Amino acid sequence: MAQINICLKHIFTVFNIFFMLAGGVAIALALWYQFFMDVRGYNLEGRSTQLFILYVVGCIAMMIALLGAYGAHKESKVALIMFLVFMVIGCLVMLIIGIPAAIIHPQLKGIVEQTFRRFVPLDKSSEDVRNMAEVIQEKFHCCGLFSYKDWENIPDSCVCSQEEEKEGKCQTVENNTFMLQRMSVYTKTCFPTIMDHIQFHYNIMLVVSFTLAVLALLGMILSSIMIHQLYYPNRHTIVVSMMPPKYEELHNTPAY
C-alpha cells in the first residue's frame, strides 16, 4: 500500500523535472561558452576550471533529480534520505558561492579595472595577454583597454579601415614605431566591451547559484515530508470539520 500522498508525489515529480532542467541548462551554458570562445579563437586557459565546475554541477543536479524521482516512485527511505542529504549540501554550497558573489557585485567593475590596469603597457605584458588584446581589438573594433596609449607601439589590430574613418569611428594619433608616424586608430576602447561580457557571465553565475539554492531548499522540504510519511505511515492528516455533528433526532411520540 502506498504510504506517500499521491499529490505530494506529483509535486515532487514536477520539482525533479525542474531540477533536472536546471542541470541541463548548466551543461548547455558550459557547452555554449566553450563553443563561443573556441569559435572566436579566445584562449581557454584559465577558464577550464569554471567550465569543469559547470559540467560537474549540471551532471550532479541531473543525477540527484533521478535519485529523488526513484526514491519517490519506489518509496525508498534510503534514496530519499540520500536525496535530502544532497539537497542540504547543495543548498549550503550554492549559498556559500552566491552570497559573497552578490556582495561583491557592486564593486565588480572597480576590481576588474584595477586588475586590468596591471597589464598596461600591453607591449610589456605576457604573450597570452597581448594575443588576447589583439583578438578583442580585431573582433570588437576597439583600441587599447582604456586608451590607445596602453600600447607603446600601436599594433595593426587598432588600425581603422577607410569605411570606418568615414563613419567617424576613428581618431588620428602618432605611433612611436615609425618616427611618430600618424595613423588612424579606433576611438572606442576595449574595456567597456570586456566589462559587459564579464558582467553578463557574472550575472549568469548569480542566477544559477541562487536558482539551485532555492530548488535545493524546496527539495529539502518535500523530501523531509515524504520521509516523515514513510516513517509514520499511520499518522493521517487531521481534518477539522466545520459541520456540526449529526445527532439522532428525538421525536416526541404523539399522544392519542
Side-chain angles (χ1 to χ4, degrees):
M1 182 179 177
Q3 296 176 339
I4 299 178
N5 184 278
I6 188 66
C7 292
L8 185 60
K9 275 189 177 183
H10 291 327
I11 294 172
F12 194 65
T13 300
V14 173
F15 163 78
N16 280 292
I17 291 173
F18 277 110
F19 200 69
M20 188 176 294
L21 287 174
V25 168
I27 295 174
L29 284 174
L31 289 170
W32 174 81
Y33 188 67
Q34 187 171 1
F35 176 77
F36 174 84
M37 300 300 282
D38 286 342
V39 166
R40 286 156 178 77
Y42 292 172
N43 185 6
L44 284 173
E45 185 179 356
R47 293 180 173 84
S48 56
T49 302
Q50 292 88 333
L51 291 174
F52 177 75
I53 291 174
L54 273 177
Y55 283 126
V56 170
V57 168
C59 292
I60 290 176
M62 296 182 77
M63 288 189 292
I64 292 175
L66 290 174
L67 176 66
Y70 170 82
H73 179 69
K74 296 293 185 180
E75 298 192 355
S76 170
K77 295 178 183 178
V78 175
L80 288 174
I81 290 173
M82 290 176 61
F83 180 86
L84 176 60
V85 171
F86 284 132
M87 288 294 98
V88 172
I89 295 173
C91 185
L92 291 175
V93 170
M94 291 300 104
L95 289 177
I96 289 172
I97 294 173
I99 292 176
I103 294 173
I104 294 173
H105 189 267
Q107 292 85 34
L108 180 62
K109 184 176 180 180
I111 295 172
V112 175
E113 181 176 349
Q114 185 178 4
T115 302
F116 275 48
R117 286 194 180 277
R118 296 174 186 171
F119 299 144
V120 176
L122 294 170
D123 309 70
K124 297 180 180 179
S125 295
S126 65
E127 184 178 355
D128 288 341
V129 172
R130 293 197 306 272
N131 291 338
M132 177 71 75
E134 293 211 43
V135 169
I136 293 173
Q137 288 176 163
E138 290 178 359
K139 175 63 183 176
F140 298 106
H141 296 181
C142 54
C143 185
L145 294 175
F146 308 97
S147 168
Y148 72 91
K149 295 180 181 179
D150 293 343
W151 296 98
E152 292 181 350
N153 298 316
I154 301 173
D156 293 338
S157 56
C158 281
V159 178
C160 290
S161 65
Q162 292 182 352
E163 294 181 359
E164 289 169 324
E165 289 181 6
K166 294 177 182 178
E167 294 174 359
K169 297 180 180 180
C170 310
Q171 59 182 332
T172 303
V173 299
E174 294 179 345
N175 189 7
N176 296 332
T177 305
F178 303 105
M179 299 179 181
L180 301 179
Q181 180 181 357
R182 298 177 69 81
M183 59 191 304
S184 180
V185 300
Y186 297 115
T187 303
K188 185 176 73 172
T189 58
C190 298
F191 180 75
T193 302
I194 296 172
M195 194 63 223
D196 288 343
H197 282 74
I198 292 175
Q199 285 276 15
F200 175 74
H201 292 101
Y202 197 87
N203 291 337
I204 288 178
M205 183 192 70
L206 285 176
V207 171
V208 169
S209 60
F210 281 108
T211 299
L212 290 176
V214 171
L215 288 175
L217 180 61
L218 182 58
M220 289 166 53
I221 296 172
L222 293 174
S223 57
S224 298
I225 295 173
M226 288 191 294
I227 292 169
H228 181 270
Q229 290 185 356
L230 289 174
Y231 274 101
Y232 303 99
N234 296 325
R235 293 191 179 183
H236 301 290
T237 305
I238 299 175
V239 179
V240 179
S241 176
M242 300 301 294
M243 297 296 293
K246 288 187 176 181
Y247 294 97
E248 294 181 359
E249 293 183 1
L250 299 177
H251 298 278
N252 293 324
T253 304
Y256 293 97

